[in-house]
């Protein structure tokens, strides 16, 4: 197609997500991807340290998954999911059910994380509508939360500059503070006083790790207590495991860390299909489902999408789960956890490290902006560029750099990520850049 580069042709017609259209550099043209590596048009190999936006767990270009897709396409590619069913959807539900943290009963399919949380809150709201409990109109979320970009999901996420244009149209949510050692007693008291009014229908949370707001971590004991308070007063609890699911926190689900309570609804997506196809699940308890069992048609859950329960995506999820539970993959996950812990200790001592947090296979390192002498428009952009020039895809959230890789990443690839991080945190952005330690790309 004429003499334009891919980036130039892209610029003509394409609008990218989360991208300031005039400020962002042109997107990098990707030719292919294999394992934990992204290969650009000019042959440059970049290590994907964020597993392609937290989705890819078995590596790019996996043969077994490719074969699964091929066989499923040839057998059954798509079928309307109202009035029809198929083996991959049923198998996925059967295989997941015994692995879930608690007693769950029904799986509702959709195709991304945002719809999975929208569906969850709709399920909760209509649950109380169906049982005729009309005064429960409130929803509780945690400050800093992120549950997706569609309207309902956005309503349940913390208000921020990105949501400002829409704030007037979002439904009201009561936000409790993000729990810390300092404020825990206060958080508990707030939760208690909100819930005891018995006006709250749902409490939604990202268990143990708030992803988008900077990989912020909190104790499972606290979450256990918050769920306990909510459920004591009849509030239904929604675990948004869209990011935390599938061993990101060291267990299959983050809510598997809970010892006393379990959520009423669990949402999953991202790594569900190993990052190859869009799919999400909203899984609820029998208590919730039973409110929809009525001959009154108006008590039906009227929600669905064209791609609900897509067989190819379901077949992938079944295969991915089987691979995830294999001894090989479990060994790799343990290795990543141990190596992150070891590196965390090392990077903690660097000059520009403010704090290090780890939960399972996620390692987050905060850059100390106060120690930085120069003023930057955006520390985040500086860090992103430096790492990219070292052929590392790390996508900082504010001044927090995190690693959230595939599980097939090799020790030498991990070393390259660690070395890049260590250098920048040891000598600082300014020295790093002025000494031109930025290697070629
Ligand atoms: C990414 C994410 C979502 C939204 O998922 P999409 O597939 O991007 O719509 C929701 N909740 C959490 C916790 C997420 O990390």
């Amino acid at each position: 197609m004429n003499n334009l580069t891919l980036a130039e042709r892209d610029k003509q017609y394409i609008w990218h997500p989360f991208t300031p259209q005039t400020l962002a550099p042109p997107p990098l043209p990707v030719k292919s991807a294999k394992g934990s590596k992204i290969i650009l048009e000019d042959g440059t190999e970049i290590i994907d340290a964020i597993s392609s936006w937290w989705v890819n767990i078995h590596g790019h270009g996996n043969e077994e998954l490719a074969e699964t897709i091929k066989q499923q396409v040839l057998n059954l590619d798509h079928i309307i999911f109202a009035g029809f069913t198929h083996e991959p959807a049923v198998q996925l539900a059967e295989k997941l059910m015994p692995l879930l943290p608690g007693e769950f009963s029904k799986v509702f399919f959709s195709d991304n994380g945002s719809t999975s949380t929208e569906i969850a809150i709709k399920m909760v709201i209509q649950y109380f509508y169906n049982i005729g409990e009309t005064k429960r109109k409130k929803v509780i979320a945690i400050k800093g939360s992120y549950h997706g970009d569609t309207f309902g999901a956005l309503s349940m996420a913390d208000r921020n500059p990105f949501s400002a244009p829409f704030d007037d149209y979002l439904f009201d949510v009561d936000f409790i503070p993000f729990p810390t050692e300092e404020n825990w007693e206060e958080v508990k008291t707030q939760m208690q006083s909100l819930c005891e009014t018995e006006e709250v229908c749902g409490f939604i949370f990202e268990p143990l790790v708030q992803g988008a707001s900077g990989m912020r971590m909190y104790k499972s004991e606290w979450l256990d207590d918050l769920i306990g308070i909510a459920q004591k007063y009849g509030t239904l609890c929604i675990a948004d495991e869209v990011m935390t699911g599938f061993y990101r926190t060291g267990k299959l689900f983050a809510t598997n860390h809970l010892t006393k309570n379990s959520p009423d609804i669990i949402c999953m997506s991202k790594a569900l299909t190993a990052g190859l196809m869009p799919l999400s699940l909203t899984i609820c308890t029998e208590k919730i489902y039973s409110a929809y069992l009525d001959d009154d048609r108006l008590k039906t859950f009227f929600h669905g999408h064209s791609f609900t329960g897509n067989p190819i995506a379901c077949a992938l999820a079944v295969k991915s789960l089987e691979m995830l539970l294999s001894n090989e993959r479990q060994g790799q996950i343990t290795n990543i956890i141990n190596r992150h812990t070891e590196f965390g200790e090392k990077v903690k001592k660097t000059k520009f490290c403010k704090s290090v947090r780890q939960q399972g296979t996620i390692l987050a390192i905060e850059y100390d902006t106060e120690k930085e002498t120069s003023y930057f428009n955006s520390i985040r952009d500086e860090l992103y560029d430096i790492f990219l020039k070292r052929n590392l895809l790390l996508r900082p959230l504010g001044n927090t750099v995190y690693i959230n890789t595939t599980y097939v990443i090799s020790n030498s690839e991990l070393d390259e990520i660690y070395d890049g991080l260590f250098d920048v945190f040891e000598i600082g952005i300014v020295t790093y850049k002025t000494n031109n330690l930025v290697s070629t790309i």
Side-chain angles (χ1 to χ4, degrees):
M1 182 169 263
N2 51 48
N3 290 329
L4 297 176
T5 64
L6 188 61
E8 285 162 348
R9 283 164 52 211
D10 171 287
K11 191 174 164 65
Q12 214 164 10
Y13 293 121
I14 293 178
W15 192 346
H16 287 266
F18 292 109
T19 307
Q21 294 296 300
T22 58
L23 303 173
L28 298 175
V30 178
K31 189 176 63 183
S32 60
K34 191 77 187 167
S36 293
K37 290 226 170 71
I38 299 162
I39 299 126
L40 302 185
E41 220 172 38
D42 67 1
T44 306
E45 294 192 355
I46 295 175
I47 297 179
D48 181 359
I50 61 160
S51 52
S52 290
W53 243 345
W54 318 345
V55 297
N56 190 301
I57 49 174
H58 301 303
H60 297 274
N62 182 285
E63 300 278 346
E64 275 181 90
L65 295 175
E67 191 55 34
T68 303
I69 295 177
K70 183 180 172 191
Q71 290 309 324
Q72 191 54 50
V73 171
L74 294 173
N75 197 40
L76 172 66
D77 46 11
H78 190 65
I79 177 75
I80 175 172
F81 208 52
F84 292 86
T85 191
H86 52 77
E87 181 69 27
V90 175
Q91 250 196 47
L92 179 58
E94 284 172 349
K95 287 194 189 292
L96 271 174
M97 215 47 97
L99 302 171
L100 297 175
E103 293 277 314
F104 289 85
S105 120
K106 289 291 181 289
V107 179
F108 198 94
F109 292 79
S110 61
D111 42 43
N112 63 78
S114 306
T115 53
S116 76
T117 60
E118 294 255 2
I119 288 166
I121 198 65
K122 284 181 75 178
M123 256 180 198
V124 164
I125 292 170
Q126 195 181 338
Y127 166 83
F128 288 110
Y129 176 90
N130 282 4
I131 65 169
E133 219 180 303
T134 53
K135 73 180 180 105
R136 286 189 186 264
K137 303 282 190 221
K138 287 187 175 172
V139 175
I140 299 176
I142 301 178
K143 283 295 278 182
S145 59
Y146 177 75
H147 299 293
D149 284 336
T150 54
F151 263 87
L154 203 57
S155 296
M156 298 186 287
D158 199 356
R159 306 295 180 262
N160 61 37
F162 309 120
S163 72
F166 315 106
D167 285 354
D168 289 347
Y169 302 87
L170 303 178
F171 62 74
D172 276 343
V173 166
D174 286 286
F175 290 97
I176 55 167
F178 182 86
T180 62
E181 294 290 349
E182 292 74 39
N183 72 5
W184 170 234
E185 287 305 320
E186 183 200 326
V187 173
K188 221 165 42 173
T189 311
Q190 277 199 33
M191 188 68 179
Q192 169 76 24
S193 51
L194 280 168
C195 293
E196 68 190 8
T197 61
E198 301 196 354
E199 288 174 0
V200 183
C201 60
F203 166 45
I204 186 166
F205 50 86
E206 295 160 87
L208 311 200
V209 188
Q210 280 190 341
S213 69
M215 296 294 169
R216 302 201 301 164
M217 301 174 187
Y218 62 100
K219 285 186 186 168
S220 62
E221 293 85 345
W222 294 340
L223 182 59
D224 232 337
D225 284 355
L226 291 174
I227 295 175
I229 296 169
Q231 289 177 338
K232 181 173 164 200
Y233 298 104
T235 295
L236 297 172
C237 295
I238 305 167
D240 175 356
E241 295 251 20
V242 170
M243 192 282 287
T244 50
F246 305 99
Y247 286 97
R248 291 303 191 188
T249 69
K251 293 193 188 244
L252 182 53
F253 295 102
T255 42
N256 284 123
H257 290 273
L258 301 177
T259 55
K260 291 184 285 191
N261 300 300
S262 59
D264 301 279
I265 294 183
I266 179 164
C267 304
M268 59 188 78
S269 186
K270 292 206 162 105
L272 171 64
T273 59
L276 273 67
M277 294 262 309
L279 181 71
S280 59
L281 309 177
T282 306
I283 306 180
C284 72
T285 57
E286 184 61 26
K287 170 178 155 174
I288 295 175
Y289 179 66
S290 64
Y292 291 84
L293 293 174
D294 201 300
D295 290 342
D296 178 355
R297 283 173 175 273
L298 297 179
K299 291 192 175 176
T300 303
F301 191 50
F302 287 108
H303 188 112
H305 299 276
S306 313
F307 284 90
T308 294
N310 174 263
I312 311 168
C314 291
L316 263 175
V318 169
K319 186 69 191 170
S320 172
L321 185 62
E322 180 194 313
M323 288 162 66
L324 190 54
L325 299 174
S326 70
N327 287 339
E328 185 195 9
R329 204 63 88 238
Q330 291 297 309
Q332 288 163 316
I333 291 169
T334 308
N335 179 56
I336 294 170
I337 295 174
N338 294 339
R339 294 217 54 203
H340 277 1
T341 308
E342 206 178 296
F343 177 68
E345 288 303 319
K346 187 174 157 196
V347 78
K348 206 177 262 175
K349 300 184 188 107
T350 58
K351 184 163 169 223
F352 289 90
C353 173
K354 190 172 176 194
S355 69
V356 175
R357 302 184 286 277
Q358 184 185 1
Q359 179 69 62
T361 61
I362 305 169
L363 185 72
I365 312 160
E366 214 178 327
Y367 191 88
D368 194 341
T369 46
E370 272 152 38
K371 291 222 180 84
E372 196 54 271
T373 47
S374 288
Y375 171 79
F376 295 113
N377 254 342
S378 162
I379 290 266
R380 182 246 167 237
D381 291 351
E382 296 288 338
L383 289 168
Y384 179 78
D385 286 348
I386 286 177
F387 292 123
L388 203 51
K389 284 181 179 136
R390 265 186 96 124
N391 297 340
L392 299 174
L393 172 56
L394 283 156
R395 208 171 188 277
L397 295 158
N399 61 328
T400 297
V401 192
Y402 65 89
I403 313 176
N404 195 15
T405 64
T406 70
Y407 297 145
V408 298
I409 194 159
S410 67
N411 277 323
S412 64
E413 288 166 332
L414 275 176
D415 284 337
E416 283 185 56
I417 299 172
Y418 295 151
D419 288 349
L421 284 163
F422 186 84
D423 286 354
V424 175
F425 278 86
E426 178 75 357
I427 63 184
I429 295 173
V430 174
T431 319
Y432 190 94
K433 285 180 68 174
T434 49
N435 289 349
N436 211 14
L437 290 165
V438 179
S439 65
T440 52
I441 182 165

